[in-house]
Amino acid sequence: MTAPPTGVTGRPAPATAVVPLRDGRTGKTRLAEHLPAPERGRLVVALARHVVATLLAADGISRVLVVTADPILVTDALDADPRLEILTQPSAPPGLNAAVEFGREQVRRRWPGDRLLVIHADLPALTTADVAALLATGAPITLGPDRAGLGTNAVVLRPGTDAFTFAFGPGSLARHRREAESLGSPAALVRRDGTAIDLDTEADFSALAPVVQDRLRAGMAPPHDAQRLQALP
């Protein structure tokens, strides 16, 4: 394994995390059978709170930028922290890849020596050890595949990889791997439960460890939401 890139002090170069979060009202439609829209919105917030808190607690993460189309709601939902910044995604172009690109532009302009970690906001089992594993490869480009091995839940880019084009969406892992290869830097893959299991379906919830399921239930309010989550297989 290649050693992680170092900064001018000889220590591993810091990383800025970018978390795209559309808003706290929509999403998780595949859970609609179990959770009506308001409850799904609260689930989105509970997931984001966990991911952001984990990133802020992880070694090597200097700051977290959340890119969202609903900054008022997201600011209210997340605990304030001097290393957390909420960025408003421009209305055009819309979409996930545009949000991530906007975040990257901010990092490269303001902290050009940082590594960039892009990570989704719906990873209920994410731990600081998972974040450390993503940052430890030392490769110019690192990818965190989803549980099916088809999508991408995390991307780490070293400075100098700005030509990398984000291609999130169905089947993104293959596209991201081809993109890395086209740049002469085959991607390192980090496969861990914490980065692989996103929460979109009943099967995803069932794949979580019981302690994670319990924490997620407890993190939702009001109590009847937790009761509905209890009904998930």
Side-chain angles (χ1 to χ4, degrees):
M1 178 183 295
T2 305
T6 58
V8 294
T9 64
R11 300 174 182 172
T16 294
V18 169
V19 181
L21 180 60
R22 181 170 51 187
D23 56 46
R25 298 186 176 91
T26 62
K28 303 306 171 193
T29 56
R30 284 181 281 178
L31 290 171
E33 180 180 349
H34 300 276
L35 296 174
E39 284 81 356
R40 295 198 306 274
R42 286 193 286 272
L43 175 60
V44 169
V45 168
L47 291 165
R49 285 173 60 87
H50 170 72
V51 169
V52 169
T54 301
L55 291 169
L56 289 171
D59 290 340
I61 299 295
S62 294
R63 64 195 62 83
V64 178
L65 308 181
V66 177
V67 181
T68 179
D70 194 345
I72 295 177
L73 185 146
V74 172
T75 299
D76 290 341
L78 299 178
D79 293 333
D81 188 284
R83 295 185 296 132
L84 171 63
E85 186 172 345
I86 312 299
L87 301 177
T88 303
Q89 180 179 355
S91 58
L96 173 58
N97 289 303
V100 170
E101 186 57 46
F102 177 72
R104 171 164 62 179
E105 291 171 358
Q106 296 291 312
V107 174
R108 290 293 165 252
R109 178 173 61 84
R110 299 163 65 185
W111 307 284
D114 277 17
R115 290 177 285 171
L116 170 68
L117 166 60
V118 174
I119 191 162
H120 290 333
D122 62 344
L123 303 176
L126 185 72
T127 67
T128 56
D130 298 320
V131 178
L134 288 168
L135 298 179
T137 69
I141 301 169
T142 300
L143 304 176
D146 67 6
R147 188 163 63 100
L150 300 175
T152 314
N153 285 341
V155 178
V156 181
L157 300 177
R158 288 173 59 174
T161 57
D162 291 350
F164 183 89
T165 299
F166 294 109
F168 288 104
S172 66
L173 182 63
R175 292 192 298 275
H176 284 147
R177 295 185 74 176
R178 287 195 298 269
E179 177 70 7
E181 290 170 0
S182 74
L183 297 175
S185 299
L189 299 183
V190 173
R191 301 182 186 272
R192 296 175 63 94
D193 285 348
T195 52
I197 304 176
D198 46 13
L199 184 50
D200 289 314
T201 67
E202 299 169 47
D204 295 333
F205 189 83
S206 297
L208 295 170
V211 65
V212 177
Q213 294 181 4
D214 292 343
R215 173 173 49 73
L216 188 58
R217 292 187 182 106
M220 294 187 66
H224 65 266
D225 291 342
Q227 293 169 5
R228 286 195 176 99
L229 267 181
Q230 186 72 47
L232 288 173

